[in-house]
């Protein structure tokens, strides 16, 4: 039997009941987080909750729960579904009320969630990435469930036998359809700054921290799509892809590159960070609800 989170309670999936009046269904009016689970332990959980609450605040959303409650639910759901390696999806919609563009600040948020199997990894062989226009709205810093622009770009990439789409706004590269992008030249990492035009990924933040600690320079600045064709290395980061190399750009830019030493080093450092947090989290795992 599979269990899910429904209105802040863990129930069998068959008993979950969502309303047709949920604002996430009508307007994409909600936020979400995806948390990676390694050996039954959620990774960077506090960072994900911080961003969830930030996203809710940016959408003027009423929040009636705490990070501690979400953490307890997370561990209870991992235990109920016996997840070893996988991922947790948590969604918070503004609420369920009759359809109306104008929202009320008094609506009670609807919290739902489920676990997923560990995604297939492309970290060893790398991926091909499709370069295309960024057609999304201008608040990409909010992790909203309204992902239609991302979805269309991902479909376009898949149709070209690519695993990710790399987006640009009028020639300035922003990020991937479901990831952040890094280029490497002369041992320096380049990535778009954390403005409203990208999502400041939790894995992105950790990789920047690991890179700086290892002695690499990190330049957070906009760069044109033309530089993609002479990058020495390129990789994407996200909760599910971790640190995944790009070996080929296709579409509006055509280029190939090897999986370089900086990317491989950061993959190693990332795996070490996972093990380090696992050891810390296992000592401080919260008590689950009875």
């Amino acid at each position: 039997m599979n269990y899910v989170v429904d209105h802040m309670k863990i129930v069998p999936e068959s008993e979950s009941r969502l309303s047709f009046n949920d604002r996430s269904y009508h307007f994409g009016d909600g936020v979400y987080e995806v948390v990676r689970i390694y050996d039954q332990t959620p990774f960077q959980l506090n960072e994900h909750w911080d961003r969830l609450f930030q996203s809710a605040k940016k959408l003027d959303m009423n929040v009636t729960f705490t990070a501690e409650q979400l953490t307890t639910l997370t561990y209870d759901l991992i235990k109920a579904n016996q997840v070893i390696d996988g991922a947790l999806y948590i969604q918070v919609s503004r609420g369920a009320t009759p359809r109306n563009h104008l929202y009320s600040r008094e609506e009670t948020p609807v919290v739902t969630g489920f676990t997923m199997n560990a995604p297939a990894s492309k970290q060893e062989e790398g991926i091909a990435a499709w370069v295309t226009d960024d057609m999304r709205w201008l608040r990409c810093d909010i992790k909203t469930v309204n992902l239609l622009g991302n979805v269309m770009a991902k479909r376009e990439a898949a149709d070209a036998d690519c695993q990710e789409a790399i987006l640009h706004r009028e020639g300035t590269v922003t990020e991937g359809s479901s990831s952040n992008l890094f280029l490497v030249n002369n041992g320096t990492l380049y990535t778009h700054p954390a403005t409203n035009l990208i999502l400041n990924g939790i894995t992105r933040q950790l990789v920047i921290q690991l890179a700086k600690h290892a002695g690499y320079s990190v330049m957070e600045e906009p760069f044109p799509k033309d530089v993609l064709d002479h990058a020495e290395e390129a990789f994407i980061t996200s909760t599910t892809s971790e640190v995944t190399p790009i070996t080929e750009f296709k579409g509006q830019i055509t280029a190939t590159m090897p999986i370089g030493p900086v990317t491989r080093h950061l993959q190693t450092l990332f795996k070490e960070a996972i093990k380090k947090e696992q050891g810390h989290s296992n000592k401080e795992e919260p008590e689950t609800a009875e």
Side-chain angles (χ1 to χ4, degrees):
M1 181 182 296
N2 193 55
Y3 292 88
V4 299
V5 174
D6 185 352
H7 293 74
M8 291 295 290
K9 295 181 180 179
I10 294 180
V11 300
E13 183 176 2
S14 60
E15 296 179 12
S16 177
R17 296 292 182 266
L18 297 178
S19 171
F20 267 103
N21 284 324
D22 194 291
R23 290 184 62 88
S24 65
Y25 175 71
H26 292 146
F27 302 108
D29 192 356
V31 296
Y32 76 100
E33 286 290 332
V34 176
V35 180
R36 192 67 164 83
I37 301 165
Y38 299 101
D39 192 21
Q40 299 181 298
T41 304
F43 186 55
Q44 293 190 288
L45 194 58
N46 291 334
E47 290 83 353
H48 281 286
W49 295 158
D50 287 345
R51 188 172 63 181
L52 183 72
F53 282 90
Q54 290 171 13
S55 292
K57 183 177 181 180
K58 290 175 181 178
L59 289 184
D60 191 27
M61 188 179 292
N62 181 34
V63 174
T64 59
F65 51 84
T66 66
E68 290 74 18
Q69 288 175 299
L70 292 179
T71 296
T72 298
L73 276 174
T74 296
Y75 278 97
D76 285 350
L77 191 60
I78 289 172
K79 183 177 180 180
N81 286 335
Q82 301 180 3
V83 180
I84 305 299
D85 292 302
L88 166 76
Y89 178 94
I90 284 286
Q91 176 173 308
V92 183
S93 80
R94 191 182 302 276
T97 57
R99 189 182 187 280
N100 189 333
H101 280 69
L102 180 62
Y103 62 85
S104 166
R105 294 188 177 92
E106 305 303 319
E107 293 168 2
T108 300
V110 176
V111 180
T112 55
F114 55 88
T115 56
M116 302 175 284
N117 294 328
S121 175
K122 292 285 187 178
Q123 292 187 68
E124 289 304 315
E125 66 270 35
I127 63 169
W130 181 257
V131 182
T132 189
D133 294 273
D134 192 340
M135 302 298 289
R136 302 170 300 167
W137 76 322
L138 295 176
R139 291 308 308 271
C140 297
D141 55 309
I142 304 174
K143 198 168 177 67
T144 171
V145 299
N146 199 332
L147 294 171
L148 192 55
N150 308 63
V151 167
M152 299 303 293
K154 183 76 80 171
R155 179 71 263 174
E156 184 181 346
D159 288 345
D161 294 322
C162 294
Q163 291 73 49
E164 177 59 306
I166 300 302
L167 309 176
H168 69 88
R169 291 185 186 270
E170 299 181 347
T172 298
V173 175
T174 50
E175 60 183 343
S177 65
S178 60
S179 64
N180 294 117
L181 173 68
F182 288 82
L183 303 183
V184 181
N185 274 322
N186 298 318
T188 297
L189 279 66
Y190 296 87
T191 189
H192 195 284
T195 66
N196 63 295
L197 297 181
I198 73 163
L199 180 71
N200 190 11
I202 302 301
T203 304
R204 172 189 183 274
Q205 296 173 52
L206 177 57
V207 167
I208 290 174
Q209 176 185 339
L210 294 172
K212 289 181 176 179
H213 190 264
Y216 297 110
S217 296
V218 180
M219 303 297 293
E220 296 184 68
E221 59 184 27
F223 52 83
K225 69 176 182 178
D226 295 340
V227 306
L228 297 177
D229 67 2
H230 57 265
E232 295 174 1
E233 303 177 39
F235 61 88
I236 59 170
T237 61
S238 75
T239 293
T240 53
S241 65
E242 300 175 352
V243 179
T244 296
I246 296 174
T247 59
E248 182 179 11
F249 288 115
K250 299 166 68 174
Q252 297 178 8
I253 295 291
T254 303
T256 59
M257 68 274 307
I259 302 174
V262 176
T263 303
R264 288 303 191 202
H265 189 198
L266 290 170
Q267 287 179 326
T268 299
L269 294 176
F270 188 81
K271 292 184 185 302
E272 291 174 355
I274 294 171
K275 292 180 180 179
K276 182 178 180 180
E277 184 167 316
Q278 279 180 318
H280 180 72
S281 297
N282 288 337
K283 296 177 182 179
E284 299 185 359
E285 181 177 332
E287 294 183 5
T288 57
E290 295 296 334

